[in-house]
Amino acid sequence: MRRIRLAILLLCLSVVFPAFAQSPAIGDPAPTVLGKGRDGKIVDLAGHRGKVVIVTFWASWCGYCLKELPVLDALQKKVDPRWLQVIAVNVEDPPATYRQMMRQMRDFSLLQARDSNGDIARTYSVKAYPNLWVIDTHGRIASHHVGYGEDSLQAIVDEIKRVLTEEMHRQEAAATAAKSAS
C-alpha cells in the first residue's frame, strides 16, 4: 500500500512540476502546447501536423536568440508554409518587454507564442538559450540544439533543409506509389 501511495505521489508531482519530468528525446512525441499566440489563442503543434516545425525558445536578453530569429524568419519566408512552420516561443519576458519585442518583429512571418511563466519551456527541459527543436511531420522530435552561436547557425539551417528535403521526397514517393496503384 505504501508503494502505491508513493507511486501516485510521484506521478502527481511529475504532472504538477514538469521540471522533474524527463526531457523529450529524439523520436519522442513533442509536447504540443506552445503558449499563447499574438492573437491570444493557444499555439498547438497538432495544428501543424504534416509540416516540419521548428520550435525555438528565446528571451529578449539573449543576444544569440536575437540574431537567430531573423535567420529563422528568412527561412520561413523562403519555404512554402505547407512544408514548414517556425514557431518562436518567448519565455518569461516581462509584459512591457514582450510587447516591445513584438513591435520590433511585427513584419516577421514566423509564428510567435508566449510562455509567460516558463511552464512550457520546462516541458521541453529548456535551461539555456537559444534552444531550438526540429519537429517532424508526425509531431516527433527530429533534433535539438542548445546554446549555439552564429558559427553553427548555418549548420542548423542545413539540417532543417535536410529534414524538409527528406519529407518532400517521402511524400513524392508516396504520391508516385499511389498513382501506380490506381
Side-chain angles (χ1 to χ4, degrees):
M1 187 67 171
R2 263 189 158 164
R3 286 185 180 180
I4 292 173
R5 285 185 186 161
L6 180 61
I8 291 171
L9 175 65
L10 290 174
L11 178 64
C12 289
L13 286 175
S14 71
V15 170
V16 175
F17 300 106
F20 296 118
Q22 186 176 4
S23 175
I26 305 302
D28 286 351
T32 60
V33 175
L34 296 172
K36 288 188 177 181
R38 293 176 82 170
D39 60 2
K41 295 179 183 175
I42 297 294
V43 176
D44 192 326
L45 282 176
H48 301 285
R49 285 282 159 84
K51 300 178 185 182
V52 173
V53 179
I54 308 307
V55 178
T56 187
F57 291 90
W58 68 280
S60 63
W61 50 262
C62 169
Y64 284 123
C65 297
L66 300 180
K67 291 178 181 181
E68 171 199 61
L69 290 170
V71 172
L72 294 175
D73 184 60
L75 182 64
Q76 179 68 75
K77 287 176 179 172
K78 286 181 186 175
V79 178
D80 188 323
R82 291 177 298 161
W83 295 101
L84 176 72
Q85 180 62 62
V86 178
I87 303 173
V89 182
N90 175 266
V91 182
E92 297 185 276
D93 271 340
T97 303
Y98 176 73
R99 284 191 299 275
Q100 177 186 6
M101 295 303 299
M102 291 302 97
R103 281 191 298 273
Q104 291 174 8
M105 292 189 256
R106 69 180 166 274
D107 295 329
F108 278 29
S109 295
L110 48 82
L111 180 58
Q112 296 281 350
R114 183 158 191 248
D115 179 12
S116 60
N117 59 11
D119 287 345
I120 294 155
R122 281 187 283 282
T123 66
Y124 279 84
S125 298
V126 172
K127 295 174 180 78
Y129 298 92
N131 203 299
L132 183 139
W133 299 77
V134 179
I135 314 298
D136 71 16
T137 58
H138 303 290
R140 298 193 175 277
I141 305 222
S143 66
H144 178 217
H145 302 275
V146 180
Y148 45 86
E150 289 178 67
D151 53 336
S152 61
L153 190 54
Q154 186 57 50
I156 293 167
V157 170
D158 291 344
E159 180 180 346
I160 293 166
K161 289 177 181 177
R162 179 190 54 77
V163 172
L164 279 166
T165 301
E166 287 174 4
E167 180 56 27
M168 288 176 182
H169 289 301
R170 188 192 66 74
Q171 288 189 21
E172 287 172 1
T176 301
K179 280 185 180 178
S180 296
S182 55

